Structures are given as C-alpha cells and as structure tokens.
Amino acid sequence: MVPKKEKKKAKLAVWKFASCDGCQLSLLDCEDELLAVADAVDIANFPEASRAIVKGPYEISLVEGSITTPHDAERIHRIRRASKFLVTIGACATAGGIQALRNYTDVREFTSAIYASPKYITTLQNSTPITDHIPVDLELRGCPVNKYQLIEVVSAYLNRRKPNVSPYSVCIECKLRGHNCVMVARGTPCLGPITHAGCDAVCPGFDRGCYSCFGPKETPNTRAMAERFEEMGVSADDLVRMFRSFNAEADEFRKESIIHERQD
Amino acid sequence: MDENPAFKVGDQLILQGSDFSELIVRLKAAAYRVVGPMVRDGCIVFDEISGVEDLPAGFGDNQDAATYRLRQCDDMALFGYNNGPQSVKRFLYTPQREIWKARRNRKTVSIHLPDTEPVKTAFLGVRPCDLNAVLIQDRVFTRGEYLDDDYNKRRENSLIIVVNCTEAGKTCFCSSMNTGPRATAGFDLALTEILHADHHYFLLEVGSDRGLSIVAGMPCDHASDQQLRTAAESVTRAADNMGRSIDASGLKELLIRNIDNVYWDSVGHRCLTCANCTMVCPTCFCSTVEDTTDLTGNTAHRIRRWDSCFTMDFSYIHGGSVRPSAKARYRQWIIHKLASWHEQFGTSGCVGCGRCITWCPVGIDITEEARAIRQRDIRPAEVSETMEV
Ligand code: SF4
Ligand code: SF4
Ligand code: SF4
Ligand code: SF4
C-alpha cells in the first residue's frame, strides 16, 4: 500500500489556555524533528512560533493550559467544534496545573491582595482540566510534556496507528533504564510507583525521587504509597505538598492530599 | 608446583587470590567482553568491567523488604556481597530490542532485520540462584515451539562464571527453592571465595569445555581435601543463614485451590502495581511489541520491550483489562511464579533470589504472602467454581 504523493497536508493548531507555554515550547524544542513536523503538517495556529492564524477546521488540535476564566470556558467549546482530533498537552490541560492550587483556597483573597482594582478581574474560583469541559481524544501528560511523546502522537495520528504512550508506572521506565531505585537504595521518597510513565525516569536517573510531573498512572494506589512515605518519616504537611503540585486537580491526588490536610 | 597440569572438566582447583586478575586477563585474551559486579550509585550493579580493580572489593550490603544499603566490610573479599537489583537477564534478554525496521521507497517496502551478532560475553559473579534463573529462561526461549533467536544467539556466545555464596542476604531463600547456595551444574566455571586472615584463594570448579579452555595453563593446583572441606563449610554457612524461607511442599496445589481466598484482598490494598517485582525478577520473561513510524511514514520500527502482568495493557482485550484490580494482578504474578510455571515449563518460576522482596517499594514479600495463604488454606471442598477479579 503506497499512498499517492501530494496528499493534502493535515492542519495542526496549537491552543493556549492558562499555562506557562512550556509544553508549546517542547514542540519548538524538537529542533531535529521540527522541519519534519513542518513538512508533515500545515501549522495553522501556533502562538509561540507565529502570529499567523489559519482558519479552521483543524485536523489536529494541541491544547495547552487549564480553564480559569469564563471566557476560556467558552472558547474551548469553539476549538472543540473546529477540531477533528483534539489532544490536551501537559499537566495544566490534563490536571489543572500548578494553578489548581487555588482550588484549595479562596481565589478572591488572591485577587484582592495582588490587583489594585480586583473588580476588573474576572476569574473562576477553580482551575480545571480541559476534560471537565469538553470530550478529549487523547491526553498527553507531563510538566512539560516529553517532546518525543508529542511527536509520537502526531506521527501516530498521521500514520493512522496507535500512539505508544503507556499509562503504567515510572518504575517500569526506571528499571528499563537500569537506574538504581532511590526509594529502596537511598530511602528517598519517590512518587514513581504511582506516576504515569513518559519522562523516561529522569529524576531517579539523577538520584532524585520522582515529583510526579506526569500525574497519576493507571490504577494509582495513593493510599498505600502515602502509608509507605509515612513509615519513611514524611510529615503530613509534606504529603499534602507531594500530592498537590503540578497535578493538583488530578482526582486521585486531590483525594489523597485532602486526607493529610491538617484540620486546624 | 606443577605449572601446567592437564586439567579436565570436573576438576576442582585452587586459584590464589593474587592470581585472580589472570582469570580476567585470559577471558579478555579469548575475546570475551567481561560483565561483572561493580559499585555504582549506591548499589552493586552488573556491567562491563575492565579488570579486577572494578570489582566491589570490600563492599557488602544490608537488605530487607524494601531496603538495600551498601556497606563497607572489614575484609577485602571480591564477592562479599549479595545480589544487587540486576541479573544476567538484562544482557541475555535485553530490556528493549529492535525486531525489524521497514523502509518505504516509492513503490516498494523493504524490511531490515537488525544485525544481531552478539558480542561474546563472560558473566563473572553469577550467583547460583541466577544461574538457575538462566537455565529456566533457557527452557522458555530455547525450547519448544516459540524460540527467541536473539536470546539463543546471546546465550550461545556466553560463558558463565558462578560465584557460590558463602553468606546469605536477609531476603535470600535459595535453599528453599533448591537453587543454591552452591551451583551444581550448568556453569562453565564456578568459584568459591575463601578469605582467611592470611590467605585469600578460590576453589575453582571446571564445568565445561568452554570453561576449561580459559583455565588451561593457569597457575592452579588441584584442591586438597582440606581445602574442599573449607569451601563446603563456607557454603553451608550461607545455607544455615538464609534470611527467608518458603515451604515448597504442595505449594502449587495450595495456591491454585486458594484462588478465591479473601486474603488476596489484603495484598491488593498494599500493592502499588508498580511492576518493580517483575522487572527485577531474573526469570520473568514477558514482553510487549511496539510499532512506531516516523512522521512521513517512510520508516517503521518494531521493538520488543519488557512488559509486566502488573500493567493494565498486559491483560487488555476487547472491552477492557481482564485484571483491573491490584489483587488480581498480584495473584496472577505469585501464582505464575510458584504454581502455573510448573505446568508450563516443568519447574518453579522462582529461584529464591529475594529481589522482588528487596526492590518492592512497599516491601511485599513473596514468602510471607505464600505463608499467609497456607495459614488460611481453604480446604478443597470449599473451593468455588468462579473466579472473581
Ligand atoms: S526510583 Fe522511583 S521510579 Fe525508580 S523504581 Fe524506585 S520508586 Fe520507582
Ligand atoms: S519471584 Fe522474587 S525471589 Fe523468586 S526469582 Fe523472582 S525475584 Fe527472585
Ligand atoms: S509473573 Fe507476570 S511478568 Fe512474570 S513471567 Fe509471569 S506473567 Fe510474565
Ligand atoms: S508487589 Fe511490590 S513491586 Fe510488585 S507491583 Fe506490587 S508494590 Fe510493586
């Protein structure tokens, strides 16, 4: 099966919501592969790379960032309608991001402390993942996403195959790489056993515990993980912090963090 | 001393500690890459060594469930440690391997097999349990209907130098599984390290012609009865100090008739389904196959990668995963290791190396879980027909 050349190229759009742009930058960071990407698709909208906006509909939409304003809660629906295959990229889009820490406080306190005229600020109380608003075709995890996984997803879509983005633990990547386990050999708390693979176990490779940039893996046993950390001497406050970082609004992490919150 | 005695397979020789480096020199002269133990990032790992100076002289370890700590010993034994996280599996059955690559040129598609001529490799410091794990993987990959070409080639190009254990770790239970602490067959060479205050030597057993070709002409003597006794006593000391044990009698039947035991819920609550146990197990052989393409679709790769029965994808069929709960996945693992492996390969799938105990982040202990089931054994009459997951 050899398809005819001169196929029309797929239109790819990148969309930004509340985020730091780091995930979009991962795409720019693809240096060697960037030309190949530009060759394979028409980049229709990519705020970090160019101001030009090509009209929809779009074959592939990469959505970065979380929903934090009423305007964005509207806008995401328009993007969904204009997109065939919509992929959320990064911890903000898939789990509310670090800004979801506000979900545990009163956001009005921040706006009045920071802005001279808080009345001009229209913001939602919670930072929520894109899936809370629209159906999403694929979620790509990470803070930021792994650029190779990003290319893998685009390439899988273009070639009509299943993307290889496994939802199992970081431990599997850690062992494939041949790293020594920092939990067992150093007594360093590591979130790898409940964290979604994708980073190729970067931190354990540098003798650090996993911070869970990629959020919960499939079937994460947060209860047993937290109990083990307690045995290792991690305080309740630190447990709250560990479960409430980049993926603060991921369901399993949110629930576990609340268990360790001090009631005072 | 007879400098060039005619050695033969089965001989038990004495190699002086001061001559040990000669063994590595000879392996290299015979074009072997030498893979052996070395200290790296707080553990004793298995990797390519350049000489005797890379070996972990003076290092030992303390191990227990979910704990491993390197420690400095009072003596300078070269092999005074117990198994680290890795085994020979990493080299014979590699974590990831390309199966083929395809290229599309205009109208044709060509398939390219990787150039898999493996390097001749000598594995130095293989413990008896791990030797038995290799013999088990041999049954999986080199016999029967499904042969693994790559494994076969690597195996044919390997030379195994066992080091018998004179000390057992706290998570070791090879005695229960009949795989150690002394290797009886299947090696090319086997060493037992003897270290007295004033004397450091090795009992060197010749297990094959390949092993013989390395030691032929080495400065060795035949072992005296006294030296053989000393070596045997050292190994017995390890056997007497096994950190753990498992009652292997009727184990297979026990586990299978307890498939519905409510006890599995307990381990289901503790297990993280992280898969570390299967990754470190020297006999676990599961893998998955992944296909990738480049963006243009002009090149495709098929790779094989270690997989584990602790992932959801492992048992995914149309409609979902067959083993969604941690309980079902743990039960699959332990029953495969200790029970159904017998039916598949005529041997236990566990050699008692203790790695799954040490490297489980929450310290789930295969020997304890088997014991717990034995204590709560459902009598055959109570066994129900259904299996709930
Ligand atoms: S270091 Fe962390 S990620 Fe690696 S195996 Fe240990 S617990 Fe898992
Ligand atoms: S099941 Fe555990 S003790 Fe048995 S061989 Fe595997 S890792 Fe070693
Ligand atoms: S225990 Fe699991 S990973 Fe190991 S060989 Fe059996 S099915 Fe495979
Ligand atoms: S038994 Fe331990 S190592 Fe194995 S999957 Fe469960 S938590 Fe991980």
Side-chain angles (χ1 to χ4, degrees), chain A residues 193, chain B residues 267 270-278 308 310 330 333 356 359-365:
Chain B
V267 68
R270 286 173 283 136
C271 175
L272 307 170
T273 62
C274 65
N276 272 306
C277 47
T278 56
S308 164
F310 281 93
Y330 186 86
W333 135 263
C356 56
W359 299 99
C360 169
V362 289
I364 293 174
D365 177 341

Side-chain angles (χ1 to χ4, degrees), chain A residues 170-171 174-175 180-184 190-193 201 204 210, chain B residues 276 361:
Chain A
V170 171
C171 297
C174 194
K175 285 288 185 285
N180 293 334
C181 175
V182 301
M183 270 282 272
V184 171
C190 176
L191 284 160
C210 163
Chain B
N276 272 306

Side-chain angles (χ1 to χ4, degrees), chain A residues 59-96:
Chain A
E59 274 233 64
I60 311 172
S61 272
L62 304 176
V63 177
E64 175 195 84
S66 68
I67 303 295
T68 54
T69 65
H71 172 249
D72 278 355
E74 267 304 304
R75 184 162 64 101
I76 189 63
H77 286 278
R78 293 202 297 276
I79 292 171
R80 173 71 271 190
R81 280 194 296 274
S83 315
K84 192 165 159 202
F85 181 61
L86 187 146
V87 184
T88 50
I89 58 169
C92 300
T94 59

Side-chain angles (χ1 to χ4, degrees), chain B residues 129-130 133 171 173 177 277-278 280-284 333 337-338 349-357 366-367:
Chain B
C129 58
D130 279 2
T171 55
F173 59 102
M177 307 316 287
C277 47
T278 56
V280 293
C281 180
T283 65
C284 271
W333 135 263
K337 300 266 83 167
L338 301 174
C350 172
V351 295
C353 74
R355 285 190 182 88
C356 56
I357 307 172
I366 189 169
T367 66

Side-chain angles (χ1 to χ4, degrees), chain B residues 98-126:
Chain B
E98 184 176 80
I99 299 176
W100 51 250
K101 175 162 66 207
R103 280 223 182 77
R104 181 163 66 191
N105 306 305
R106 292 175 197 282
K107 291 219 162 79
T108 58
V109 172
S110 54
I111 305 245
H112 309 266
L113 297 180
D115 185 7
T116 47
E117 270 337 300
V119 228
K120 267 171 72 175
T121 305
F123 297 101
L124 171 64
V126 177

Side-chain angles (χ1 to χ4, degrees), chain A residues 2-3 37 155 159 161 164 168-169 171 175-178 180 184-187 193 217-219 221 224 228, chain B residues 40-41 43 45 68-69 90 106 269 271-274 276 280 290-294 297 305 312 329 358 361:
Chain A
V2 184
V37 174
S155 140
N159 292 290
R161 64 176 173 85
N164 298 299
Y168 52 53
S169 69
C171 297
K175 285 288 185 285
L176 291 173
R177 291 288 299 265
N180 293 334
V184 171
R186 304 274 198 211
K217 75 169 185 77
E218 60 185 14
T219 67
N221 190 345
R228 178 72 188 127
Chain B
R40 189 168 67 213
D41 299 335
C43 293
V45 300
Y68 178 103
R69 291 292 181 280
R90 220 183 155 74
R106 292 175 197 282
H269 288 133
C271 175
L272 307 170
T273 62
C274 65
N276 272 306
V280 293
E290 271 182 5
D291 291 337
T292 57
T293 55
D294 66 357
R305 188 169 43 67
M312 289 283 275
R329 283 179 259 168
T358 300

